[in-house]
Amino acid sequence: MVINPTNLAKTTRVSTGWPDARSRVIRSYRDWQRAAPEIVKQYLLHFPPSAVRAKIRQEFERHRYVQQLPVVDMLITKSNMELQETMNYWKQIPHIMKYFRPEEDPRARVSSNFMNNFLEGRN
Amino acid sequence: MSLFPASRMVLTRQALLPVPRSALLRFKGTTSSPSPLEIPNHSVATATPAANSVTAFPETEPEAPSDFATSAYSPTNVIPVQRGENDALDAASISGAPLDLQARTVRIYKPSKAATQSGNWNERQWRMDWDVLSRGHRWENPLMGWQSSGDSMQGTHIFFKSREDAVAFAEKQGYKWLIQEPNERAFRAKTYSANFFHSPKELKIIRTK
C-alpha cells in the first residue's frame, strides 16, 4: 500500500555535518523567501511581501550563532514544518500575525534601555 | 437623532458636551487640577519632555528580542548567551517556549510536610517553582473580585526524583536556578525492649503504643 505524503513534506533526517546543515538552512531560507508573495496573497496581509521577507530574515538571524548541531537540525525541521503549514493554508491569519506582534502591538516590546524598563516596572 | 422629528427633540447639542471637571468638583471641596480643555497647546511643559516619559530616555542600543508572548508584564528580556558544543543542549530555542521564560529564576526544593496527619509523600520529591513576577503576578478582577494573573507559570510545578535531575532540566531550558536545602525530619526509632536495658541513672520509660 502506497502512502502519499502531504504536499511540501520533507523526509526526517539528520545533518551529516556542519556543511550539510549549512546547505539545508540556506535551502530552507530560499524556499521561505520565494514563498513571501504567496503568503501575502493567501493570508490577505495588509503589508507588502518585503515586510514578510524582512521578518523571515529576522527569524533566521535570531538563531545565526547556534553552535550545537542537534539544535540546528531541530530548527531546520521546524522551519520546514512551518513552511508546509503556511503554504498549505493549514494556518490561519492570526497564526501568521503572531510573528508580527511586536510591529502591530506597541506594548509587546521590551526596551533595551534600563531607565525605560525601570519606569515601566519591569524586573 | 434622525429618528425623532425636530419639534420633539429634548436633548440639545449643548447638553451632550462633556461637563468640565472644575464644575464637578466645585461642591466637593477638593482642588481641581486643570482639565484637558484648559491647558494651552504651546507651553514650556510640553516642549521639554517630562522626566518620566519614554522620550526622555531614547533607545541607544538595538531593541531587546521579543516574540508573540511579550507583554506589559514581561521581565526585561535577556539575550541568551550562545552555548558551546560541550554545554547543556539549548532546548529553549527549539521548545517554542516564550522568550520571557529565559529571564526568570526557578526555585528547586523539597517541600516540607504539611501539618496534617495525611502522609508525607509530598516531602519525598523535588519540586521546581517559578519565582513570581514583579508586576502582573496577581491583581483583583475589577468586576467580580476574582484573583487574576498575567503570569503563565504561576501554579506550574515540575517534580523530579533528584536534585541533579532538576538542575539538569533547568540548565537545558536556560533558567537561572537556586536550590533550597531541605529540612529533613528527625526520626528517632523507639523499641519496647529499650525499657529493659540497664541504666545507671533514673530508668526511662519508652512508650511505644
Side-chain angles (χ1 to χ4, degrees):
Chain A
M1 183 190 130
V2 175
I3 296 173
N4 294 320
T6 46
N7 190 28
L8 300 172
K10 298 263 164 59
T11 315
T12 309
R13 57 171 275 226
V14 165
S15 302
T16 51
W18 282 104
D20 184 25
R22 186 188 148 79
S23 70
R24 282 176 76 200
V25 165
I26 292 176
R27 203 177 313 147
S28 173
Y29 180 76
R30 286 167 63 86
D31 288 341
W32 270 108
Q33 291 285 358
R34 215 174 285 127
E38 182 67 27
I39 292 169
V40 169
K41 197 176 90 160
Q42 259 191 350
Y43 292 93
L44 311 172
L45 303 177
H46 61 86
F47 34 80
S50 53
V52 176
R53 293 205 154 110
K55 180 56 67 175
I56 293 164
R57 177 73 186 257
Q58 186 184 344
E59 292 296 318
F60 272 79
E61 289 287 341
R62 199 192 286 263
H63 301 292
R64 179 183 263 268
Y65 297 110
V66 174
Q67 290 167 28
Q68 296 171 331
L69 197 55
V71 176
V72 174
D73 280 339
M74 203 54 227
L75 287 168
I76 294 168
T77 308
K78 288 188 72 156
S79 166
N80 291 332
M81 279 155 48
E82 290 281 313
L83 182 64
Q84 181 187 27
E85 286 166 14
T86 307
M87 298 312 293
N88 284 341
Y89 205 73
W90 295 348
K91 284 191 188 235
Q92 285 154 349
I93 296 174
H95 301 127
I96 305 293
M97 293 312 288
K98 262 169 78 167
Y99 288 101
F100 296 93
R101 176 125 191 270
E103 284 84 18
E104 299 284 316
D105 185 3
R107 290 173 311 165
R109 253 174 276 184
V110 177
S111 173
S112 60
N113 198 319
F114 168 78
M115 270 320 288
N116 288 335
N117 288 331
F118 175 74
L119 293 169
E120 285 170 17
R122 294 185 195 276
N123 193 10
Chain B
M1 281 263 234
S2 57
L3 295 172
F4 299 95
S7 58
R8 290 197 185 193
M9 255 201 287
V10 177
L11 286 174
T12 63
R13 224 178 124 70
Q14 290 299 317
L16 292 174
L17 282 175
V19 181
R21 278 183 75 199
S22 51
L24 284 173
L25 295 172
R26 199 179 298 141
F27 301 103
K28 289 195 180 176
T30 55
T31 54
S32 59
S33 55
S35 66
L37 299 169
E38 294 165 14
I39 289 178
N41 284 331
H42 305 286
S43 69
V44 176
T46 50
T48 49
N52 61 349
S53 69
V54 173
T55 49
F57 301 101
E59 303 275 345
T60 46
E61 302 106 36
E63 216 170 63
S66 55
D67 66 349
F68 64 92
T70 310
S71 72
Y73 306 126
S74 305
T76 319
N77 279 349
V78 293
I79 303 171
V81 175
Q82 279 304 337
R83 305 191 194 177
E85 291 217 353
N86 301 324
D87 297 340
L89 192 77
D90 182 19
S93 57
I94 49 180
S95 68
L99 271 174
D100 298 354
L101 287 189
Q102 300 305 107
R104 300 188 63 172
T105 314
V106 130
R107 180 168 77 108
I108 300 165
Y109 64 106
K110 256 190 180 183
S112 53
K113 184 182 170 356
T116 57
Q117 296 181 341
S118 300
N120 60 353
W121 171 247
N122 288 335
E123 72 179 29
R124 296 250 173 107
Q125 40 184 4
W126 287 88
R127 196 165 115 147
M128 177 189 277
D129 276 357
W130 274 259
D131 286 354
V132 302
L133 284 176
S134 62
R135 243 184 102 218
H137 165 61
R138 183 175 286 226
W139 67 87
E140 192 188 273
N141 181 273
L143 175 66
M144 292 300 297
W146 297 333
Q147 289 298 301
S148 307
S149 175
D151 183 2
S152 60
M153 302 312 283
Q154 66 95 26
T156 304
H157 318 294
I158 303 185
F159 297 95
F160 298 92
K161 291 262 172 65
S162 70
R163 77 178 77 194
E164 288 79 21
D165 287 348
V167 168
F169 178 84
E171 286 288 326
K172 219 165 76 154
Q173 299 292 330
Y175 306 141
K176 280 189 283 297
W177 50 268
L178 78 95
I179 294 186
Q180 190 177 340
E181 291 303 321
N183 275 339
E184 298 291 352
R185 286 161 68 83
F187 179 74
R188 291 170 197 89
K190 285 202 268 184
T191 49
Y192 184 65
S193 59
N195 284 328
F196 304 99
F197 293 159
H198 166 69
S199 166
K201 297 176 289 190
E202 192 180 321
L203 286 177
K204 199 173 167 201
I205 302 174
I206 313 279
R207 300 193 192 280
T208 54
K209 189 169 179 268

